[in-house]
Amino acid sequence: MILDYENVNELNRYKIMSGSIVPRPIAWIVTEDNGVLNAAPFSYFIPISTSPALVIVAIGKKDDGSPKDSLANILKTKKATICFPNKDNIDQVQKCAMQLSKDESEIEKFEIDVRKELEDYPPMITSTQTALFCEYYDTYKVEGDTTPVILKINYQYIEDGRINERNHTNIESIGRVGVTFKAMVDL
Ligand SMILES: Cc1cc2nc3c(=O)[nH]c(=O)nc-3n(C[C@H](O)[C@H](O)[C@H](O)COP(=O)(O)O)c2cc1C
């Protein structure tokens, strides 16, 4: 079966793409504006370069057509801290996908523990096993409602014991498959 994307509407494309390009890592992004801490998950997310160390995250619009808070904050403050969900915090990740008003904090509302590691970056979610401290790099222009934002990784936190002397890491993140979460297994 060949699907001609010209004939597949946006919702069905989303369903097919997100159910086929799997598993996708989930960026659980913490941003800040005027003291309000924002956290939201994004799975249209992937590394695109090592030097410079770049990742890209595609951020859509809110239902009312306004920019999602994460995007507005990144464009304003130029900073983001990317955390990674694991099987113990799925519930919090899902809550963070709720659309709150810009002056409401998911971190406060859902009582998510955060820890300030670096002065110039938003705090990281304490339960993450690794976190990327990023600055805004560029925006890739596309048609439609999605804004793909490129972020540069300047620093990374890795929980003690999760990286060895040869720089091999052991991070137990979960991924997104369609609308479900999957844990990684060794093969
Ligand atoms: C696992 C998961 C992955 C998601 N991936 C994306 C994504 O890649 N792009 C996007 O715009 N929204 C995505 N969402 C929805 C956002 O998390 C949601 O719109 C959230 O309210 C945005 O919050 P903000 O306005 O605070 O930035 C995802 C939700 C979940 C649960």
Side-chain angles (χ1 to χ4, degrees):
M1 177 184 196
I2 298 287
L3 297 169
D4 179 351
Y5 268 46
E6 287 288 326
N7 301 327
V8 183
N9 70 26
E10 188 174 337
L11 174 63
N12 287 325
R13 278 188 201 181
Y14 173 73
K15 285 162 77 176
I16 295 165
M17 286 175 70
S18 60
S20 306
I21 303 168
V22 294
R24 293 184 312 287
I26 302 165
W28 196 5
I29 302 185
V30 182
T31 54
E32 197 163 12
D33 182 24
N34 276 332
V36 178
L37 278 181
N38 193 88
F42 296 92
S43 66
Y44 270 48
F45 163 69
I46 206 77
I48 55 167
S49 161
T50 305
S51 293
L54 302 178
V55 296
I56 192 162
V57 54
I59 304 182
K61 293 224 161 88
K62 289 189 180 186
D63 293 340
D64 64 5
S66 63
K68 292 193 180 179
D69 300 340
S70 304
L71 177 64
N73 291 353
I74 289 170
L75 294 178
K76 182 172 175 190
T77 67
K78 312 292 184 206
K79 292 287 168 66
T81 297
I82 301 181
C83 303
F84 294 86
N86 55 64
K87 61 181 172 40
D88 299 323
N89 50 32
I90 292 177
D91 186 47
Q92 288 182 328
V93 175
Q94 267 167 330
K95 285 181 178 157
C96 285
M98 285 168 59
Q99 278 186 29
L100 303 186
S101 68
K102 181 126 181 10
D103 55 3
E104 254 190 309
S105 166
E106 291 82 4
I107 299 285
E108 275 183 26
K109 188 175 172 82
F110 307 125
E111 300 178 336
I112 298 171
D113 249 21
V114 291
R115 192 166 84 217
K116 190 83 175 166
E117 280 286 330
L118 296 176
E119 185 61 35
D120 293 336
Y121 294 82
M124 61 172 220
I125 293 166
T126 310
S127 59
T128 193
Q129 296 171 3
T130 189
L132 310 174
F133 298 95
C134 302
E135 67 174 305
Y136 174 78
Y137 187 83
D138 208 349
T139 301
Y140 189 81
K141 301 261 178 305
V142 293
E143 302 158 31
D145 282 344
T146 302
T147 305
V149 178
I150 301 172
L151 297 166
K152 179 165 173 274
I153 306 168
N154 287 333
Y155 301 94
Q156 179 167 359
Y157 159 83
I158 301 186
E159 196 175 57
D160 287 350
R162 295 197 175 273
I163 185 164
N164 71 16
E165 61 292 345
R166 290 192 295 151
N167 287 323
H168 293 151
T169 60
N170 172 28
I171 306 294
E172 296 162 312
S173 301
I174 51 167
R176 190 71 157 165
V177 176
V179 292
T180 62
F181 295 99
K182 301 270 187 208
M184 290 192 295
V185 291
D186 283 336
L187 297 176

